[in-house]
Amino acid sequence: MDDGWLYSDGGRQRFNATTLKQYGYTIYPNNTISNYSNCVLAFGGYIPTVISNGSWYNSSGCDTPVRQIRTRGIIGIVVAVIFGVILVLSLVALSKHGKSFLPAEKRFRLVGRRWPWYWCIITASVGLISGFTAVDVDRVWVLGTAAIFHFIFYLVTLPTCLSAIWEMTRNWASFEERKGVDEDFTRYRQDDLRSKIEFYEPLIFYLFNFLSFFLSILRAWNPITRSNVHVITDARFQASSIFSLLAWGTVVVAHLIARHYYQPRSTPWKIPVTLLIIVIRIAFNIGSAFDYSISQLRYQATPAYIYCLGYLPVILVLFIILYSGWKEPNEDQELLRLRNTRNATLDQEMSAIPERKSTGKYSAEKKPDTYRARRASRAPAHDYWSGDGSTEPV
């Protein structure tokens, strides 16, 4: 301060000290002026002017992109393109598996097998937004709106991806039940312990998943953009990461229960593989919530952490779900195929049963002999048409 002036940018810019103090503005060492409501750049070609009412003109906000694109932004574009491809493939899979070829059943609703693809679409959409907003995270002078959107949509990819895995697992168990009921309508009751467990499983999973979403997403984000260590590793983020682990555990338990009750000949590999992959992202979230040095919410965070341990597991899980959706048939068509197989087997068994021979008084074997005996015992009849007066038996 010198003669009522405050300076920034190494003394090359000066501002009225009285006006700045009146409205709570402070000049920071990074050549920005802020009162936690407004923040402007004050260096180089960014020369703002403050007037007596505390407002600015010819100013640029602190979240204005002024740097060159960096590693985070370049990889973010690649990730956004990958999520865009996943989004298109998810729509194709929804079109394939969401069609109905059989009459609607109250017990097995069509929307049930559509939900895995709905969650894949949601995950791909938020991942695409997060990837594109990563471009401006390293370009801005001070983290702002772009960083908030990038971090928010990045964090949302975990609960949505977990939901896709859960619905995929639940739908597999539902189809196993459907195949059993189609073969024998009385095989699985709707008032037993199995049905009660399956009623509460989604409630428990979505409770844990929602708590994870609520604690990490629905909160004040301005302190996070300042890379405040006490906020980034606070109890809310820690509890959120633990609830994600509990939601993952619910999927594992539900899968084991389904295997116990339905006893399938084989378990699809997609379920254990996706559960193992997504636990990498969950472990990274837990580590970030307790260790500031590896937190993905820091301004100085290494891009390798967030992309290899954050985005890559989600991308791999979605690709596995999509690949299995491409290889597997529509459920209704598969059910029709199983019905045709059972009917063909039944026809073969029926055709293999030998015909019973009649041993009664009027059996077919005795009819020809009896008929010939009757003809031989008859008296000869006169043939009126031969002209020679010959006779032949009738």
Side-chain angles (χ1 to χ4, degrees), residues 1 60 69 73 88 111 182 186 197 208 218 228 235 312 326 330 391:
M1 179 175 178
S60 299
I69 188 171
V88 175
V111 70
D182 189 70
T186 61
I197 292 175
F208 290 148
L218 304 180
N228 190 320
L312 186 58
W326 173 64
N330 179 284
T391 60

Side-chain angles (χ1 to χ4, degrees), residues 48-98:
T49 302
V50 62
I51 56 181
S52 57
N53 64 358
S55 58
W56 299 85
Y57 69 89
N58 192 34
S59 61
S60 299
C62 293
D63 58 354
T64 303
V66 296
R67 294 188 173 104
Q68 294 294 324
I69 188 171
R70 297 183 182 180
T71 305
R72 185 197 294 259
I74 295 173
I75 303 179
I77 295 175
V78 176
V79 168
V81 172
I82 294 174
F83 276 117
V85 173
I86 292 174
L87 177 60
V88 175
L89 295 178
S90 299
L91 292 171
V92 174
L94 175 62
S95 176
K96 174 184 176 180
H97 293 275

Side-chain angles (χ1 to χ4, degrees), residues 283-318:
F284 179 55
N285 270 29
I286 295 174
S288 299
F290 287 88
D291 187 354
Y292 179 77
S293 63
I294 63 172
S295 175
Q296 70 272 27
L297 304 181
R298 293 187 307 128
Y299 176 70
Q300 307 87 353
T302 305
Y305 284 153
I306 190 171
Y307 287 114
C308 294
L309 301 177
Y311 284 102
L312 186 58
V314 174
I315 292 173
L316 291 177
V317 166
L318 294 181

Side-chain angles (χ1 to χ4, degrees), residues 166-185:
W166 159 255
E167 290 296 340
M168 175 188 68
T169 305
R170 181 209 55 79
N171 183 62
W172 165 77
S174 176
F175 188 50
E176 290 295 322
E177 179 187 5
R178 188 182 181 191
K179 288 188 293 186
V181 170
D182 189 70
E183 187 175 351
D184 180 6
F185 184 77

Side-chain angles (χ1 to χ4, degrees), residues 99-118:
K99 290 181 180 179
S100 178
F101 297 91
L102 291 172
E105 300 178 60
K106 185 177 180 181
R107 187 169 177 178
F108 305 102
R109 299 182 182 275
L110 180 62
V111 70
R113 63 176 187 260
R114 290 178 175 175
W115 267 114
W117 312 111
Y118 289 154

